[in-house]
Amino acid sequence: MALRFHPFSPLFNFRSTKRSRTVLARNEVSATSNGYPSSTLTSKQGKPEADIIVIGSGIGGLCCGGLLARYGQDVLVLESHDVAGGAAHSFDIKGYKFDSGPSLFSGFQSRGPQANPLAQVLDALGESIPCANYDSWMVYVPEGEFLSRIGPTDFFKDLEKYAGPDSAREWRKLLDAILPISAAAMALPPLSIRGDLGVISTAAARYAPSLLKTFAQMGPQGALGATKLLRPFSEIIDSLGIKDPFIRNWLDLLAFLLAGVKTNGILSAEMVYMFSEWYKPGCTLEYPLQGSGAIVDALVRGLQKFGGRISLKSHVENIVVENGRAVGVKLRGGQFVRAKKAVVSNASMWDTLSLLPPEVVPKSYRDNIKSTPQCESFMHLHLGFDAEGIRDDLGIHHIVVNDWDRGVDADQNVILISVPSVLSPNLAPPGKHILHAYTPGTEPFEIWEGLDRRSNEYKNLKAERSEVMWRAVEKALGPGFNREKCEVKLVGTPLTHKRFLRRNRGTYGPAILAGKGTFPGHSTPIPQLLCCGDSTFPGIGVPAVAASGAIVANSLVSVAEHSQLLDAVGI
């Protein structure tokens, strides 16, 4: 599980192969991409075609493409950038190997029906990711600073110091209500779901005995609680009478890191899943020893292992529709690549819409997409600096909240900091650290829109809007840190997101509130065009987009093939 940072949200040797612009670097910076080979556009028959074309090599697209290759389909993943991974790619500058996006993970080592969706996909592809385990992060909130540990008991110590007198009782009441229904939230393995009636066989019938057993063990009260899983999590909080301000703020923070919305907008199922991962005995967090790019590289290896292809620097200009059906794509430069069975878009809903000829898109579909609210964008700060003077017990993760009253979704209010070199020293030159700080989907696009990236106005705004991250970094690293001595200083903006990730308005994704809307399914009004990624069910975050990619892949093969895969991976 991975926060964006992301829960519900990683080849292993980085090789200097070519110079590339990184998605989250300053305007003209170059970076080194990972060393897997980019494949040809042509199939074994020598034609620019594939059974299935996947647009975009983000986590969702790679999970979809990898599983399709595992199913024996001729699949081609097309990526506009010169490195795979989308928002999860990594990049190398002056020997510093940076994460561009997600940095907080758990569940990579899990197996079986209730495993993290990404772990299930990696298992199906025969790939694994060596990780370092840890169990805490530093928190800087208006009440004070503390080391927050995951697990069922440690958080009570923080509550005693920073929250109200009834906070421990309320937190226990919350855990007692949530943990029993976690089995229901995790009852159906994501890898078993498909987008047609075959789901009755691969999911409902296959897991009916275990589902019935789960509900029987939960008892009447637990089963009643399970009915709330598709409602906003705030309803569970309110029904339990949770009133302590610190707890409610804390839950809003977790929800926002998880899905870009507060507790009144997140599905209870997502929060319950997170609680089951973070507040059970023996739980730990995991960080890939080779950085978050190791996720991407493992998925690319799995894709290519089964004969799938990925073509970098292959910018899709249009999805080609003939006789009402998606039949392929046109690349920048005019080349047509045919898709014999389907086209899958891992782009956002807004960007997918822009790839389609306007005349083939039903008005209702277009209007629905244009009216879907968006999460805001990001500011990023990537630093490479000397570890001398930095305390030895510096943790990997730090969260800074400046003002609870403004809300965790207010711009310039919450800053997330990751220093993965404390767990994986090989990510930086000897004696150095890498650091990634960012504002989590709260940076307004409007103040950047229309700016020339080469202008002084843009440069001045970058300096102004990045200052809150600099101050958070200085708070987390202490007096031994000196910003002037950083060997690498990179600032990313919403325009960076829009340009390099091809994200409409640089958005983090749809801001769909639980109880007021649902994430779209994976089919479209255009036959043979499907969508995966964070604009589709189950939503935003690494595990969620991994699940979406798996669902689309499963939907494009027979029920028998799908069932055989489930048998092969033991779920």
Side-chain angles (χ1 to χ4, degrees), residues 288-358:
L289 290 178
Q290 297 297 326
S292 65
I295 305 172
V296 175
D297 296 327
L299 290 170
V300 171
R301 285 199 308 272
L303 168 78
Q304 295 181 328
K305 178 193 306 180
F306 290 100
R309 294 173 284 149
I310 180 169
S311 182
L312 305 177
K313 295 189 288 187
S314 297
H315 183 96
V316 174
E317 289 281 9
N318 300 108
I319 297 170
V320 179
V321 179
E322 295 178 355
N323 299 320
R325 310 178 75 83
V327 297
V329 300
K330 185 178 76 172
L331 303 182
R332 179 179 290 162
Q335 184 176 18
F336 172 65
V337 185
R338 181 170 296 279
K340 293 186 286 184
K341 295 182 179 180
V343 175
V344 178
S345 176
N346 187 50
S348 77
M349 61 171 68
W350 304 278
D351 295 296
T352 299
L353 182 64
S354 70
L355 296 176
L356 287 165

Side-chain angles (χ1 to χ4, degrees), residues 39-42 48-55 73-78 303 308-311 337-338:
S39 302
T40 176
L41 296 173
T42 57
E49 65 179 16
D51 290 337
I52 299 158
I53 291 173
V54 178
I55 302 171
Q73 301 294 313
D74 177 22
V75 60
L76 172 63
V77 178
L78 298 175
L303 168 78
R309 294 173 284 149
I310 180 169
S311 182
V337 185
R338 181 170 296 279

